[in-house]
Structure formats: structure tokens, C-alpha cells
Amino acid sequence: MLEAAADAAAKVPDAVPHTVKARHEYRGMRTAEHYFEVPLDHFGGGTGETITVFAREYVSADHSEEDAARLPWLLYLQGGPGGRGNRFPSLGGWSKAAARDFRILMLDQRGTGLSTPIDRNTLPLRGNETDQLEYLTHFRADSIVADAEAIRYALGSAPWTIYGQSYGGFCALSYLSFAPHGLREALITGGLAPLQGPADRVYQATYRRVAARNAEYFKSYPEDRAAVTRIARHLRETVEHLPDGERLTVERFQMVGSFLGGNTRVDTLHHLLEDAFVATPAGDRLSDAFLEQVRGVVTRAGNPLYALMHESIYGQQEATDWAALRVLQDFPEFRPDAAEPLLTGEMVYPWYFEQDAALRPLRDVAQLLAEKSGWKPLYDLERLGANTVPVAAAVYSEDIYVDRDLSLETASAVRGLQVWETADFHHDGIADDGEGIFGRLLGMVRSVRN
């Protein structure tokens, strides 16, 4: 399996159809909308079926069209899994910095955005749950890397620079494993994946990080400890519905802990909790404003692949078997029936597929994904150990999504990888100081090259 992935990425890809459907200029940038028809199965044994992969090009209007055409490409690999590429209203932060020297290609990874989509409406077109499972096996990082190489050849690009945020960093490690010849350099932020071991070790680490982040948050906002407890107690005793008609349970409410993963978002959590209740003739109830804000956090309607594929990104041969739920037993303070429950992070649980209308039709295939063993390797440890591509990675010391200790373990296994560890940022660091972080990482890889 490992050899098949490496061989498929190493050979020159067959020419894939490529069209540009629209170009626009606004707010100091020019964009082009690229569509590519790529194989569903890059690694052989498939039917020849193709899917669409979309990517949007961003170029600073400071460059003439002639000069822009000579700029090297930077491929941005978005976090997720299941998140479409960013839509920039204008260049700012890291993209403004990158656009000085690059053409930016913002990829909608397969299954997301304007690429051939996967959701509760489209997946049943594949057939029964077993057919759907087979289809979904082609939507992990190895296939995303093969797409990227096919796109690079279609664009006529020399080896390019990649910038991977979060799950995008996981994809970058797969790129270094299977197609390093396609890379000039790699930048990674908050995305050094564990290279081996079961998914359980990821959740053992991240539950501890999230517990510490809860403690830090409640120290900053001590009144919110009582607020979270009050809301949880209220939801046990009173039926509350989100604006979409779905019930808000304690465990769904705990998902607002996703705000804890950022510098720029953590204070938003306090603002959410401060107006949770409103007086009504029937007593205190959760306010419409609160419920509407929570709905946007707890539904996966916008990125169902996140829930479906999240644990599979840690799958290395063995079944993940709902690892976050199993490890939860070691951290009872996160249980929804705890006296003072903690808020959760990005863990995915089987009840997602019972309580979220966008996921309910996907429950059976989600179970098959959890039970699946024999996942293809996502990394080539030997090739990473002999790596020659300049790589720099930002590791955030208190990151609740990608554990610092596991990140440093991975860094030590990739030859030449330079680490910048900092406690100044959390997982959303590039939203806080994207220009500074991008510039520092680019300087690190360029110092090696020069």
C-alpha cells in the first residue's frame, strides 16, 4: 500500500482537464477560478471515474498581469478535514504577506466547497453504506496530495511552496512522504500530526490539554464556571430547541469549547455565555440570541466531512473505533452528566450522528468508518527521516487540537525540520498574527536554502 501511494505520486501524472471559468478583480487583488478533473482513485484498481477539484487563485494587483504570471505558486492547504478553502474578501494577514512573492492557490480539498461535494444529499448517490464507505476511503490526505501534484503539473508549475494550517499540516507531511519532488519548501502551522500509533494517544493528550484550557478560561472568567454549570443543569431539566428545531443537549452545548482553541476566539465564548438566559412567563429560558449562536457552533451542516473523516486522519492500519468516546472514560469531568462538566474540543462522538440533522442520514456509514481497519499508511517514516525539502513548523505550546508533545515527537522524525515553538498563540495563530507567523516560517526555510 505504501509503495503504491509513493509510486503513484512519484510518476508524472496524466494530464488532467483544467478550465478557468471566471476571473475577477476587486479590493487590490485578482482572482481566477480553476476547475480540475482528477481521478477518484489515484492509486490504481479504480474504474477511471473522475471528480472535480476546485481552487481559487489570488494575486496582488500590485503585480502587473505579466509579472504575476512569472511568480512562483504557493499552495495553501486548509485545516479540517472537511473545510473548504478560505474565501478572501481582500488580502490581509498571511495572504497579504504571501502575495508579495507568490501566486496563492487556495484549494477546496476533494469533497468540500466547489469540489465534488460530500454531504447527506450527495453521498447516497454512491449506493448503500458499503459503497459509500468505499468512496470515502479516497478522501484522505494521500489522495489530496495526489490531487495537488496533478494540479501542479496542469498549471505547469515547478516544485512549489506549500503552507499547511492544522489538518493542512498533516497533508504537508503526507506530501513530504509521497511527493517531495513536487515541493520547493513546506511551511506548517499547528499541524504536525502523530506519525504512528493509535488514535487513542491523540485523545489522551488532547483531553488533558482541553482540561487545562478550561481551567485557564475559568480563571480568567470565574463567573462563567457557574454559567456553564447552570446551562448544563437547565438542559438536563428543560427541553430547549435550537432554531432549526433540533434539541440542544448538554453534550451538544459542551461543543462551544471549540472557542477555547484560539487567541482570537476565546473571549467570544464569554460574550456568548453572558446573555444565555432570559426571563419568560414560564421562568428562565435560554435566549433566542444564545440559541442561534450555539446552533452555528454545534451543527456540521457546513462541513459534514469533518465529522465523518475526523478520526480516520489518525487511522494507521487499525480501526479508530470511536477513540474519543472510549478515551472519555478516563476523563469523567468531560461527561455531560458531570456535576460541573468541562467544555469539549474537537472530539467527534457517535451521538453527533443522532443529534445533528445534517449527519443523521450518515450514521450507518460513520459506524462503518469507525470499524474500518487496514487503512493505508499516510506517512513514509523512512522518507521523512531522509527528507531534503526545507520545512519549518510553528508549534503552539498549549494547542488543544494538535498536542505539543506529539508535535515535537513528529518534528524529531523529519530530517531538517525546523521548529518554532511559541506560547504566544493558540491553534488559530495565523488569524491573530498571520503576517508575522508566515514571514518567520518563510525566513526559516529560506535561511536553510540560502
Side-chain angles (χ1 to χ4, degrees):
M1 291 292 189
L2 187 63
E3 291 78 6
D7 291 345
K11 74 180 182 69
V12 176
D14 295 333
V16 298
H18 167 219
T19 58
V20 178
K21 294 189 176 180
R23 298 180 186 273
H24 302 282
E25 182 169 350
Y26 56 97
R27 297 189 185 91
M29 64 184 182
R30 292 190 298 274
T31 68
E33 298 172 3
H34 297 264
Y35 292 81
F36 305 88
E37 293 301 314
V38 302
L40 170 65
D41 180 3
H42 285 280
F43 308 118
T47 61
E49 179 180 357
T50 63
I51 59 173
T52 299
V53 172
F54 171 81
R56 182 175 275 112
E57 173 186 351
Y58 292 93
V59 177
S60 171
D62 290 342
H63 302 291
S64 70
E65 291 190 13
E66 294 76 13
D67 288 343
R70 290 189 287 270
L71 290 174
W73 286 99
L74 180 145
L75 175 70
Y76 182 76
L77 296 167
Q78 169 73 323
R84 70 178 189 174
N86 296 332
R87 269 57 173 166
F88 294 138
S90 62
L91 295 172
W94 74 263
S95 63
K96 182 178 180 180
R100 297 186 189 112
D101 301 302
F102 296 97
R103 284 185 282 178
I104 300 169
L105 194 66
M106 180 63 65
L107 184 68
D108 280 359
Q109 296 167 13
R110 52 171 53 200
T112 74
L114 294 177
S115 299
T116 301
I118 291 177
D119 62 21
R120 64 187 173 91
N121 298 306
T122 64
L123 197 55
L125 293 171
R126 304 304 307 184
N128 62 27
E129 289 78 12
T130 302
D131 299 322
Q132 294 171 30
L133 171 67
E134 169 58 25
Y135 185 64
L136 288 169
T137 62
H138 302 297
F139 286 79
R140 297 207 305 162
D142 50 351
S143 294
I144 293 169
V145 168
D147 289 343
E149 274 297 277
I151 289 169
R152 185 175 69 84
Y153 277 97
L155 293 173
S157 173
W160 57 12
T161 301
I162 58 172
Y163 188 22
Q165 157 66 12
S166 189
Y167 176 64
F170 291 32
C171 295
L173 289 167
S174 292
Y175 216 139
L176 291 164
S177 293
F178 303 130
H181 55 275
L183 300 179
R184 180 187 185 194
E185 58 211 355
L187 316 179
I188 297 172
T189 53
L192 289 180
L195 300 177
Q196 52 190 331
D200 300 52
R201 68 197 295 256
V202 173
Y203 294 107
Q204 289 284 349
T206 53
Y207 272 117
R208 289 191 292 270
R209 294 277 180 202
V210 179
R213 185 64 165 155
N214 271 263
E216 180 184 0
Y217 175 77
F218 291 133
K219 183 176 180 180
S220 297
Y221 292 106
E223 66 273 29
D224 287 358
R225 174 63 276 177
V228 168
T229 300
R230 181 188 177 195
I231 293 168
R233 184 183 305 116
H234 173 81
L235 291 172
R236 294 188 197 106
E237 299 170 352
T238 306
V239 174
E240 293 276 12
H241 291 97
L242 297 166
D244 60 7
E246 295 292 313
R247 183 173 180 178
L248 179 60
T249 60
V250 177
E251 53 267 35
R252 290 192 87 184
F253 163 63
Q254 288 175 276
M255 291 171 67
V256 302
S258 61
F259 287 113
L260 298 175
N263 286 59
T264 59
R265 301 175 68 227
V266 66
D267 300 309
T268 305
L269 177 57
H270 174 68
H271 301 147
L272 169 69
L273 296 173
E274 66 185 1
D275 60 354
F277 286 96
V278 63
T280 77
D284 288 350
R285 300 295 298 266
L286 295 178
S287 71
D288 287 347
F290 173 81
L291 291 168
E292 173 59 24
Q293 293 174 81
V294 170
R295 181 198 63 80
V297 177
V298 305
T299 182
R300 293 297 179 194
N303 58 345
L305 265 183
Y306 180 92
L308 276 171
M309 302 300 292
H310 190 265
E311 287 201 352
S312 80
I313 69 177
Y314 302 113
Q316 305 275 28
Q317 301 295 334
E318 72 287 335
T320 56
D321 194 24
W322 300 115
L325 179 65
R326 288 185 290 101
V327 175
L328 175 64
Q329 309 313 310
D330 297 331
F331 297 89
E333 62 271 29
F334 286 96
R335 289 177 53 90
D337 57 359
E340 293 187 314
L342 297 184
L343 301 174
T344 55
E346 65 172 1
M347 301 79 168
V348 173
Y349 304 100
W351 56 257
Y352 272 32
F353 298 87
E354 300 168 0
Q355 299 187 22
D356 188 338
L359 298 179
R360 205 169 288 132
L362 306 176
R363 177 175 54 192
D364 291 342
V365 70
Q367 182 62 39
L368 292 179
L369 280 164
E371 295 171 354
K372 177 177 169 53
S373 59
W375 288 108
K376 293 186 294 184
L378 292 171
Y379 313 107
D380 183 333
L381 299 182
E382 183 176 352
R383 184 168 284 175
L384 291 174
N387 173 61
T388 59
V389 177
V391 189
V395 173
Y396 305 127
S397 301
E398 305 302 328
D399 195 330
I400 68 171
Y401 295 148
V402 181
D403 179 70
R404 174 257 186 198
D405 294 342
L406 294 180
S407 294
L408 295 182
E409 175 188 291
T410 292
S412 69
V414 181
R415 181 176 178 269
L417 188 151
Q418 300 179 77
V419 171
W420 168 42
E421 182 179 356
T422 176
D424 292 339
F425 305 104
H426 285 267
H427 194 68
D428 66 348
I430 61 171
D432 201 20
D433 184 17
E435 188 168 3
I437 292 171
F438 177 84
R440 179 160 184 158
L441 294 178
L442 186 63
M444 290 166 69
V445 295
R446 293 291 167 86
S447 69
V448 172
R449 183 178 299 282
N450 296 336

